[in-house]
Amino acid sequence: MRLPLFIGLVFSVLSLSAQRDTTLLVADYNEDGYPDSLRSWYSGGSGAGGRFVEMTDGQSGEQLSFNSCGSFGNFVQIIPIAEDIYDRYYAFLAPILQALAGGRARVGTDPSLSWLGQMATNLLQDTARGPKPPGDVWIPRAEDLRYALTCGSTNDHPYFDRFLGGYELWETDSLIRPGISTSIDIHPRLGALMYQFALDTSQLAADAYSFFLIYYGHNHFSRENPDFTELAANENYRILSSAHGLIAQRPNGDYKWLFISQPGITRAPMKLRWPSISSVQLAGDYALLEQQFSVSQEAHLWVIDIPSGRLGKIREDLYGLRYDEASMELVAPDYRLEGMHLIILEGEEEKTIPLQALFESD
């Protein structure tokens, strides 16, 4: 029996065990005259979790299953889509993705997600092995993706042990607070690399046809820190911070993202509910960022060239946590800015690093 093209039934289902927020939607999602069903629920523990989604085709009875499970330390979740599913059930993908995101995804581009995507692209392009083919569009190979898992790391820079290529785009619209954003048609190679970042694993997903992308941008804020905080300012910039990101804003209101704590790119805490931005100082066009993870006891010092968006992490033999016998704790070295120089203090020794030379020798 054929039913009306759209049935908007919503059922609340009693949650069982670790399942929560269970919902059943019935609608003719592919407009074939048969009602399809979309069931979703949440399941998770202390360090990871996500939503499970089952879509049942009303005509064939075939069921598609996806889940968004991942670490609570990731802003980005990437979910591979096989080619046959993409081709045969494309009409189902948008409602499935919305359900995976908990039904709260916004429409439109999020500038903070654009920063993460550009950093992933930079890492691919900057570290690809072998010649690149001519033309405007460059598609990295699977071996490039494997190599890019260690990309950005360097042993031959005098001051950095990690270097990330730039992001020059200034936003001219009003400042946007990050929220939950989604996308379906992610470029397979870029999606494969971001898949590694999201899972923080060496598993390769380069053979996927496309990817779901979910960006949990709302985790930049919390009830304790509901908005951006100004951490530093000079005549050219205001530096605004979320719990895990930095923004530079010009006097005319234009702004751009400078930094986001994300596994595989800049590192991140085990859970995003723990802030990772400790302090920021400005010296001309340079921002000095202290990134700390209290639970895993890590401290990193990043230097950011604001106009180009390039950034580097100071080598751990120059700046990193050290055991202090007096306090019996791990402590980071003291540091200060003097003009255009970074001074790192360790015991009686001072190490002077000229900021303007940092990006000349990358």
Side-chain angles (χ1 to χ4, degrees):
M1 179 179 68
R2 295 173 68 85
L3 297 178
L5 292 182
F6 181 84
I7 301 177
L9 300 178
V10 180
F11 301 91
S12 295
V13 182
L14 181 64
S15 298
L16 299 175
S17 182
Q19 298 182 10
R20 304 201 306 270
D21 305 324
T22 303
T23 303
L24 178 64
L25 303 173
V26 178
D28 185 9
Y29 291 107
N30 58 356
E31 299 183 354
D32 65 352
Y34 293 87
D36 312 300
S37 63
L38 178 65
R39 180 173 177 260
S40 65
W41 66 94
Y42 177 86
S43 182
S46 62
R51 297 198 67 84
F52 290 74
V53 174
E54 294 177 348
M55 172 71 84
T56 303
D57 186 330
Q59 182 177 19
S60 69
E62 184 170 353
Q63 187 176 86
L64 308 180
S65 298
F66 292 91
N67 74 80
S68 63
C69 286
S71 165
F72 293 151
N74 280 304
F75 272 109
V76 179
Q77 182 60 288
I78 302 288
I79 305 164
I81 306 172
E83 184 173 2
D84 63 325
I85 298 298
Y86 186 94
D87 290 339
R88 293 167 55 206
Y89 293 106
Y90 187 82
F92 289 158
L93 299 185
I96 288 174
L97 178 56
Q98 186 71 4
L100 287 169
R104 297 180 292 161
R106 66 166 53 152
V107 177
T109 302
D110 191 308
S112 59
L113 177 57
S114 297
W115 185 91
L116 285 170
Q118 185 61 57
M119 288 298 109
T121 302
N122 291 346
L123 290 170
L124 275 175
Q125 293 178 337
D126 292 346
T127 61
R129 296 178 294 183
K132 301 174 187 176
D136 295 330
V137 179
W138 172 70
I139 301 176
R141 301 163 298 174
E143 55 264 34
D144 295 326
L145 294 173
R146 293 188 182 94
Y147 185 60
L149 291 176
T150 59
C151 58
S153 300
T154 176
N155 294 320
D156 53 9
H157 194 283
Y159 304 111
F160 293 150
D161 60 16
R162 188 160 181 79
F163 178 81
L164 298 173
Y167 184 76
E168 299 184 0
L169 178 64
W170 289 88
E171 303 289 339
T172 57
D173 295 330
S174 299
L175 181 62
I176 297 175
R177 285 169 48 92
I180 299 178
S181 302
T182 60
S183 182
I184 295 173
D185 295 303
I186 303 300
H187 190 288
R189 292 300 186 232
L190 178 58
L193 176 61
M194 296 190 74
Y195 182 73
Q196 321 309 324
F197 292 162
L199 295 182
D200 203 14
T201 177
S202 60
Q203 180 183 359
L204 192 68
D207 56 347
Y209 185 76
S210 188
F211 292 83
F212 288 129
L213 181 149
I214 306 174
Y215 175 54
Y216 299 104
H218 65 297
N219 286 313
H220 277 279
F221 305 102
S222 64
R223 283 178 290 184
E224 295 78 14
N225 300 284
D227 210 338
F228 292 109
T229 301
E230 182 177 310
L231 294 185
N234 61 18
E235 64 276 12
N236 296 320
Y237 311 105
R238 295 173 63 218
I239 302 299
L240 307 177
S241 172
S242 68
H244 303 287
L246 283 188
I247 287 175
Q249 189 173 47
R250 290 169 168 166
N252 66 358
D254 293 353
Y255 72 96
K256 73 171 178 177
W257 284 83
L258 300 176
F259 186 93
I260 296 173
S261 295
Q262 168 64 22
I265 297 180
T266 58
R267 299 185 62 81
M270 291 183 289
K271 298 182 182 181
L272 292 177
R273 72 185 189 194
W274 300 326
S276 60
I277 304 298
S278 179
S279 67
V280 176
Q281 298 182 49
L282 276 172
D285 286 331
Y286 299 95
L288 186 66
L289 162 65
E290 185 178 10
Q291 182 194 34
Q292 289 195 0
F293 313 143
S294 57
V295 174
S296 58
Q297 296 186 319
E298 295 181 55
H300 308 294
L301 196 60
W302 294 83
V303 181
I304 305 170
D305 178 36
I306 296 174
S308 71
R310 294 183 300 173
L311 60 153
K313 184 172 76 69
I314 297 295
R315 286 179 6 209
E316 291 196 11
D317 61 321
L318 297 174
Y319 181 88
L321 292 179
R322 311 283 192 267
Y323 180 73
D324 180 65
E325 293 185 356
S327 63
M328 293 188 294
E329 295 179 343
L330 291 172
V331 297
D334 291 328
Y335 62 90
R336 68 179 186 274
L337 287 172
E338 288 188 1
M340 298 302 294
H341 290 81
L342 167 63
I343 313 296
I344 298 178
L345 311 174
E346 185 155 10
E348 301 297 324
E349 183 180 358
E350 288 191 356
K351 301 170 184 176
T352 301
I353 301 174
L355 295 177
Q356 293 171 312
L358 282 173
F359 297 93
E360 296 175 357
S361 54
D362 47 43

